[in-house]
């Protein structure tokens, strides 16, 4: 996490209520320099060069530290606070707390070398509170600047000089650097047999808006899949409705044709005709047309019934398959939950008894299982 920074608290010039003074002698004070002295060391020469170029007295800077302290763009210094675990699993008075102290100490030893543009002036490892934690206070600076002092305070440019190039609002130089330092700490932890457990919460360096945007993007992606599925279902239903509407339209046209179309009407006799001639020339052709039409209608009707039956069968099969998948998914979810609990127990064993001891026990168990399998195979051969 990133704090506002309280050098006096870190150096224990004053003690908060949560500090156990009887354990303060256990604290490690790596450095505790005057920040003003550090500013003189870093910026006096650049300040002299800057003031020498100014032709107006009101543009000269008398005290660079005071200028930055009153600035709204930069802070005089930044503070990084690191802690492993919490008071439940890394209490300062426990054996694990001593392990945390060793890890944080090793992490700090390489901090300044990794971060040459972050001048550390105050660093303290506290063991007199609930959980061991490390405070690192530093002044970020950049050289070769084209505006203002050629060596000046700038967190953004200091991190950029160390290779961290910002992108989007949620992917700044600062967020990249914080992630890199977390990974450095995790690498030290692994050497001591402790694994970094990602809790699933959003990263602390993300702003609230960035986090909300990130969550919304996840929701949009999930909804996109659901929308595609619903669009496919809608297309199937639309096609069915279209076929039904077309069928109704065809039936309506047929009804009108039967009532009005000359080819489906019995014509009047042409002059004087015998009954036999009327039947042969007029009635029988009409009956033939009507029979043909009826056959077509019946064929279409049977096709519709067959399609309806097949769709019902397919729908029933899909429903049954979906129910089986639901039951299988429930079983997998239960198995996953059980495995998560077992993994937590396994990690707890590794933390309490140590990775080497647990690995040794696992290897013994595997060898015992292999011996049992070979013995059973021999018995079966007999």
């Amino acid at each position: 996490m990133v704090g506002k920074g309280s050098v006096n608290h870190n150096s224990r010039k004053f003690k908060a209520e949560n500090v156990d003074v009887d354990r303060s002698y256990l604290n490690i004070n790596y450095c505790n320099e005057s920040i003003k002295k550090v500013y003189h060391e870093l910026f006096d020469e650049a300040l002299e060069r800057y003031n020498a170029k100014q032709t107006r007295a009101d543009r000269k800077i008398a005290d660079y530290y005071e200028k930055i302290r009153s600035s709204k763009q930069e802070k005089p210094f930044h503070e990084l606070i690191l802690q492993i675990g919490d008071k439940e699993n890394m209490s300062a008075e426990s054996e694990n707390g001593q392990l945390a102290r060793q890890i944080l100490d090793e992490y700090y030893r390489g901090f300044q070398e990794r971060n040459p543009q972050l001048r550390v002036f105050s660093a303290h490892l506290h063991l007199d509170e609930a959980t061991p934690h490390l405070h690192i206070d530093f002044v970020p600076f950049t050289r070769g600047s084209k505006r203002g002092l050629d060596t000046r305070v700038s967190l953004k440019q200091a991190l950029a000089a160390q290779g961290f190039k910002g992108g989007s609002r949620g992917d700044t130089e600062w967020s990249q650097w914080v992630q890199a330092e977390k990974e450095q700490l995790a690498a030290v932890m692994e050497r001591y047999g402790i694994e970094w457990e990602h809790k699933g919460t959003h990263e602390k360096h993300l702003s609230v808006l960035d986090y909300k945007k990130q969550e919304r993007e996840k929701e949009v992606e999930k909804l996109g899949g659901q929308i595609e599925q619903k669009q496919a279902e809608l297309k199937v239903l639309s096609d069915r409705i279209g076929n039904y509407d077309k069928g109704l339209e065809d039936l309506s046209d047929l009804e009108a044709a039967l009532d009005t179309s000359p080819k489906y009407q019995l014509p009047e006799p042409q002059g004087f005709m015998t009954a036999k001639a009327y039947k042969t020339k007029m009635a029988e052709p009409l009956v033939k047309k009507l029979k043909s039409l009826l056959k077509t209608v019946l064929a279409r009707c049977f096709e519709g019934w067959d399609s309806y039956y097949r769709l019902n069968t397919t729908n029933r099969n899909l429903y049954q398959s979906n129910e089986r998948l639901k039951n299988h998914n429930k079983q997998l979810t239960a198995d996953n939950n059980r495995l998560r609990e077992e993994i937590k127990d396994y990690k707890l064993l590794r933390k309490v008894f140590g990775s080497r001891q647990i690995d040794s026990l696992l290897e013994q168990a595997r060898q015992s299982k292999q011996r049992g399998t070979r013995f059973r195979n021999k018995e079966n051969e007999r």
Side-chain angles (χ1 to χ4, degrees), residues 245-377:
D245 290 342
K246 187 175 185 304
L248 287 178
E249 185 179 344
D250 289 344
L251 284 174
S252 178
D253 292 343
L254 178 59
E255 183 181 2
L258 288 172
D259 287 339
T260 60
S261 177
K263 66 178 181 178
Y264 294 125
Q265 309 303 316
L266 192 61
E268 294 292 331
Q270 297 177 354
F272 179 79
M273 294 181 69
T274 64
K276 183 178 180 179
Y278 183 78
K279 175 186 175 184
T280 303
K281 293 182 179 180
M282 302 294 182
E284 287 181 349
L286 176 61
V287 170
K288 187 177 180 180
K289 290 178 183 178
L290 291 173
K291 285 180 178 179
S292 176
L293 179 62
L294 182 59
K295 287 178 182 179
T296 302
V297 170
L298 287 173
R300 295 283 179 85
C301 183
F302 281 119
E303 286 177 3
W305 287 338
D306 182 62
S307 296
Y308 177 76
Y309 173 77
R310 285 188 289 104
L311 284 171
N312 263 354
T313 302
T314 302
N315 187 54
R316 182 176 65 251
N317 292 339
L318 288 173
Y319 175 80
Q320 292 173 348
S321 176
N322 189 46
E323 289 300 307
R324 287 195 296 271
L325 288 172
K326 283 182 180 178
N327 293 331
H328 185 55
N329 186 50
K330 287 180 182 177
Q331 183 62 45
L332 290 175
T333 301
D335 290 344
N336 282 337
N337 291 335
R338 175 177 55 78
L339 288 171
R340 285 193 185 96
E341 294 301 320
E342 290 180 3
I343 289 170
K344 287 181 181 178
D345 293 340
Y346 175 68
K347 288 182 177 178
L348 180 60
L349 287 173
R350 292 181 73 89
K351 289 179 181 179
V352 174
F353 294 103
S355 298
R356 292 182 180 177
Q357 186 172 351
I358 295 299
D359 290 341
S360 176
L361 289 171
L362 284 173
E363 184 60 29
Q364 292 175 24
R366 292 191 189 101
Q367 292 176 1
S368 176
K369 183 179 179 181
Q370 290 173 358
R371 287 194 296 270
T373 302
R374 287 196 295 269
F375 176 77
R376 286 192 297 273
N377 289 340

Side-chain angles (χ1 to χ4, degrees), residues 63-77:
D63 189 323
Y64 188 58
Y65 172 77
E66 289 299 325
K67 175 178 173 58
I68 296 299
R69 192 176 67 84
S70 59
S71 169
K72 295 182 179 179
Q73 295 182 341
E74 296 286 352
K75 293 169 59 178
F77 70 96

Side-chain angles (χ1 to χ4, degrees), residues 144-160:
S145 177
K146 300 298 182 182
R147 65 181 183 84
L149 277 66
D150 51 45
T151 299
R152 62 184 179 88
V153 173
S154 174
L155 178 63
K156 180 182 176 72
Q157 296 303 323
L159 296 178

Side-chain angles (χ1 to χ4, degrees), residues 128-171:
D128 55 0
E129 297 179 46
T131 310
H133 57 278
L134 176 64
H135 295 262
I136 304 176
D137 297 289
F138 57 85
V139 178
F141 66 95
T142 180
R143 291 191 173 93
S145 177
K146 300 298 182 182
R147 65 181 183 84
L149 277 66
D150 51 45
T151 299
R152 62 184 179 88
V153 173
S154 174
L155 178 63
K156 180 182 176 72
Q157 296 303 323
L159 296 178
Q162 294 184 186
F164 299 98
K165 303 295 184 181
S168 64
R169 182 174 178 179
D171 187 32

